[in-house]
Amino acid sequence: MSASGGEGGPSPGGSGAQAGGGRTVARSNTCSQCGGPVNPALPFCANCGAKTGAPISFVLDPRAGVTLALLDAHGAIKDNFVIKRTEAIVGRNDGDIVFRDDVYLSPVHAQFTVHDGQLFVRDLGSRNGTWIFMDAPQRLADGDVILVGSQLLRFRRLGYPGPHPAEADKTRRLGSLTPSADISVLAQLRADGSVRDTFHLSPGRNVLIGREKGDWLFPYDQTMSGTHAEVRSEDSDFVVADAGSRNGIAIAVRGERPVKVGQRVLVGDHVLRAEKV
C-alpha cells in the first residue's frame, strides 16, 4: 500500500475506461475470448458474452449522479466518474471501474452504493481493505484498524482488571501505580497481519503518535507527520483525532459506511473523493 494512499498510483485501466474531458478510451476493439469486434461502451462481447471490463456505471456527465474524483499523489484531480446507477464495483480485474495495474487492489475490491441521496462504501472482503479518511474525531470500537502514515494500528479492548486480593502475609508488591490499569491496546501490524509492537492505553491518558514528537514515535516513517495523531481518553472510550498531519488518518471500512462530500476513500493504491452527492 502506498504510504500516502495513492502516491504513484497507475491510471484507470480496462476496456472503455472513461478519460478526462469526456473522452472514451478504447483499449481494444476485439474480444479477448472469441476475437470478434466489441463495442467499447458495453461491458460484454455481443458475440460470445465475455466481459470486456467497460465501466457502464461511470460516465462523465457533471449534470447527474454522484461524482467521484480520482486524485493524484498531490491531491489534484486526475479523472472524474459519475455513478448513475444505485451501485458500482471497484476492482483490479472486474467491476464498473477497473485499475488493472494496481497490485494492492483485489480482483473485486469495494462497492459504492447510493441510498436516498447518500453515498456509502463497503469492502468486499479485499486483501488490503477499504479505507475512509476521517473528517472528524472518531470513537474507536474493538477491532478498528487505523492508517497513520504507513502504519496499520489495530485497536483492541482489554477490559478492566478485577480486584487484587490482599497477600496472605500483607506484603505489598512493587510496581508502578500510575497508570493503574490498561484497558485497551494499539497494535502495530506487519504486512502479514502479525503484531510488531504495542502501546497500551489507560483511562485519563492521552497519547500522541508521530514521526518526531509524541508518546509513540515512528522515526523511520517518512509518510507520517512530526506529530500526526492523538488518541484521547474520554470516559471509558478512546477517540482518535488528527493532530494536524499532512496525509490525514484513515480507518478501515467495516460493514457499510457513509461517505460525505469531500471525504476521501482509499482502495488499493488509488484515492477517490466524493465531489457531489
Side-chain angles (χ1 to χ4, degrees):
M1 184 177 296
S2 174
S4 62
E7 184 174 355
S11 60
S15 174
Q18 294 289 340
R23 295 179 295 109
T24 299
V25 181
R27 302 298 184 191
S28 174
N29 292 323
T30 60
C31 176
S32 60
Q33 298 297 319
C34 69
V38 297
N39 183 344
L42 296 178
F44 55 87
C45 173
N47 183 49
C48 69
K51 291 185 177 180
T52 63
I56 61 173
S57 290
F58 291 89
V59 296
L60 286 174
D61 182 1
R63 298 169 297 176
V66 176
T67 303
L68 295 175
L70 175 65
L71 306 182
D72 65 14
H74 306 288
I77 297 176
K78 293 174 59 177
D79 212 339
N80 286 285
F81 308 100
V82 174
I83 303 176
K84 297 195 71 176
R85 297 187 303 179
T86 57
E87 67 177 48
I89 304 296
V90 179
R92 190 179 75 245
N93 295 339
D94 201 1
D96 301 293
I97 183 169
V98 177
F99 301 107
R100 298 195 184 279
D101 297 327
D102 189 342
V103 296
Y104 296 101
L105 200 68
S106 291
V108 177
H109 196 104
Q111 178 186 50
F112 286 95
T113 57
V114 181
H115 305 303
D116 300 323
Q118 172 67 61
L119 179 66
F120 295 86
V121 66
R122 177 187 294 274
D123 185 73
L124 297 178
S126 68
R127 181 177 298 276
N128 290 315
T130 300
W131 305 79
I132 184 166
F133 283 88
M134 296 167 20
D135 63 348
Q138 173 78 40
R139 193 171 301 275
L140 293 172
D142 185 51
D144 277 345
V145 181
I146 56 176
L147 176 65
V148 182
S150 294
Q151 307 305 314
L152 300 184
L153 307 178
R154 183 177 61 203
F155 175 81
R156 296 307 302 264
R157 285 281 189 183
L158 300 177
Y160 286 88
H164 294 285
E167 296 295 333
D169 60 2
K170 298 184 179 180
T171 302
R172 296 185 62 180
R173 291 180 177 271
L174 291 174
S176 175
L177 299 178
T178 304
S180 59
D182 295 321
I183 61 173
S184 296
V185 64
L186 287 173
Q188 178 192 19
L189 302 180
R190 295 186 177 94
D192 62 0
S194 63
V195 174
R196 180 185 183 275
D197 199 2
T198 59
F199 196 100
H200 286 77
L201 306 173
S202 55
R205 181 189 185 194
N206 297 339
V207 173
L208 284 174
I209 302 172
R211 190 182 73 250
E212 299 171 351
K213 299 178 182 179
D215 304 286
W216 199 7
L217 300 181
F218 299 87
Y220 47 83
D221 189 344
Q222 295 303 309
T223 64
M224 189 179 293
S225 296
T227 303
H228 197 111
E230 182 180 26
V231 180
R232 305 170 184 164
S233 171
E234 294 188 2
D235 299 324
S236 60
D237 291 328
F238 292 94
V239 174
V240 61
D242 196 299
S245 70
R246 180 183 298 272
N247 292 327
I249 303 169
I251 186 165
V253 172
R254 301 168 69 186
E256 190 174 60
R257 288 185 63 103
V259 183
K260 301 177 185 176
V261 172
Q263 274 194 300
R264 295 172 295 152
V265 177
L266 174 65
V267 285
D269 204 26
H270 288 75
V271 175
L272 298 169
R273 185 176 66 199
E275 296 290 290
K276 185 183 73 170
V277 178

